[in-house]
Amino acid sequence: MSGNTIGTSGTDELGGTGGASAGVEAGVGLGQVRRLWHLLEPLHAVLYYAPEAFEEAAALGFGIEERWPSYFPYRAAPLGALSGDRVASAFYSFSPRMVDEHIKSAWATAGPEQVLAARERAVDRAYRAILGDRVTAPELAEAAALARRAAEAANTAGRQLASANADLPWPEAPHLQLWHAATVLREHRGDGHLAALLVAGLDPVESLVSFAATGAASVERFESRGWSPGEWAAARARLAARGLVDEEGAATDAGRALRHQVEHHTDRLASAPWRSLGPDRTTRLADLLGEFWVAVLGSGLLPSETTLGIGKV
């Protein structure tokens, strides 16, 4: 399980250095923290795009004409059978209407425990399909052990999704341990990102509009999160009133600076597991993950553009 202890780096949660040099946490640079996110995120995201995941979802009775009917229960299941409002709060940037539409029927279709079992089967099958014989490679087992060590060091206090995933039993197979660790760590980072957005004064739709304004992804990609044109336009107007976007909706210098601050704070809030792992083991994990990251990207399952801004931030 992840501990709820306070980190020992001497940094405050949102950027005070406490004696550490800027951008460095106990020998692990914030660039390395972000690099690990870039490497681990695709390993987690396989669940939402692999054909095996859609097959498992369909077997439970979920629609598979698009990814959302399975995405919401797969990601929300660790929280239990929560209402749409509660899930929307944890997911933050999705329109509450969109969340409610899918969550309202999800738990009537299959309970969280059924969904959790299905997602583990889906990841097992997907990893075996993508990695082939490498699924049992000693390098993967070593990567899984290191990632698990980092995940178990993650402070989950105040982090809904990280805490819920950290409380689940660890799978036995190394490739499933790797996926579970990647999931705990990405949700740990994501929960911290929401805190950074709140400190920046960006509400759920503003968080998307401001990020789209920097060119992190197309407006159309961000609009997939269910906000209406009117809600999007109103958020843009609020950001314009703060001097964060111009008349065309592009980020101003102030808007870019605020988004840079959000990402910097997110990196800091995500750094504790890597401080615990230490610089040498963190570098070793990054090196080990490379071939598996390449295999997942090479599968063609993941979209080239996402709302997370990977490759853009």
Side-chain angles (χ1 to χ4, degrees):
M1 306 297 176
S2 292
N4 289 334
T5 57
I6 302 300
T8 58
S9 68
T11 61
D12 65 70
E13 281 285 80
L14 281 178
T17 59
S21 60
V24 177
E25 302 291 346
V28 178
L30 295 185
Q32 184 77 318
V33 172
R34 193 173 298 186
R35 180 189 178 201
L36 265 296
W37 168 51
H38 286 188
L39 288 168
L40 287 168
E41 179 64 30
L43 300 184
H44 161 80
V46 162
L47 173 66
Y48 308 125
Y49 297 97
E52 295 82 4
F54 289 115
E55 290 167 5
E56 293 290 346
L60 291 180
F62 292 107
I64 57 172
E65 66 281 357
E66 58 175 354
R67 72 185 183 102
W68 302 121
S70 57
Y71 170 87
F72 285 102
Y74 273 150
R75 189 174 175 212
L79 296 168
L82 296 186
S83 67
D85 286 346
R86 294 283 301 279
V87 174
S89 174
F91 286 15
Y92 198 70
S93 63
F94 285 92
S95 162
R97 290 187 308 277
M98 181 180 185
V99 179
D100 191 57
E101 173 190 350
H102 292 291
I103 288 297
K104 186 179 292 183
S105 60
W107 309 136
T109 301
E113 290 191 2
Q114 291 174 284
V115 173
L116 288 171
R119 80 175 194 173
E120 186 168 303
R121 291 193 301 270
V123 171
D124 180 39
R125 294 174 57 204
Y127 269 38
R128 291 181 186 278
I130 294 168
L131 301 179
D133 292 343
R134 298 296 289 165
V135 80
T136 58
E139 292 83 1
L140 187 145
E142 183 183 355
L146 289 170
R148 176 173 179 170
R149 184 165 181 166
E152 289 181 328
N155 175 6
T156 61
R159 303 184 194 234
Q160 296 182 66
L161 285 163
S163 178
N165 279 281
D167 280 343
L168 297 175
W170 279 91
E172 292 186 11
H175 64 290
L176 295 178
Q177 289 194 20
L178 178 59
W179 183 84
H180 185 62
T183 299
V184 171
L185 290 164
R186 70 90 65 182
E187 296 294 15
H188 175 269
R189 181 186 177 89
D191 289 336
H193 183 63
L194 303 192
L197 290 170
L198 288 169
V199 170
L202 296 171
D203 69 25
V205 64
E206 290 169 357
S207 72
L208 299 182
V209 176
S210 65
F211 207 24
T214 68
S218 65
V219 171
E220 291 75 20
R221 177 64 65 177
F222 283 102
E223 287 175 340
S224 70
R225 296 206 165 193
W227 300 98
S228 72
E231 289 167 329
W232 189 271
R236 179 179 286 178
R238 293 194 298 273
L239 295 176
R242 293 172 61 184
L244 300 176
V245 299
D246 62 23
E247 293 181 358
E248 302 301 319
T252 62
D253 289 344
R256 290 186 179 279
L258 183 64
R259 288 303 316 199
H260 174 78
Q261 185 179 53
V262 166
E263 300 305 325
H264 180 74
H265 286 171
T266 300
D267 289 334
R268 279 199 175 276
L269 288 168
S271 66
W274 308 114
R275 295 199 307 267
S276 177
L277 193 62
D280 292 342
R281 286 191 292 259
T282 297
T283 297
R284 175 61 177 165
L285 175 58
D287 291 343
L288 288 166
L289 289 174
E291 70 163 295
F292 306 114
W293 177 82
V294 167
V296 169
L297 294 187
S299 72
L301 294 175
L302 305 185
S304 59
E305 181 184 60
T306 78
T307 57
L308 299 179
I310 290 181
K312 300 292 185 67
V313 298

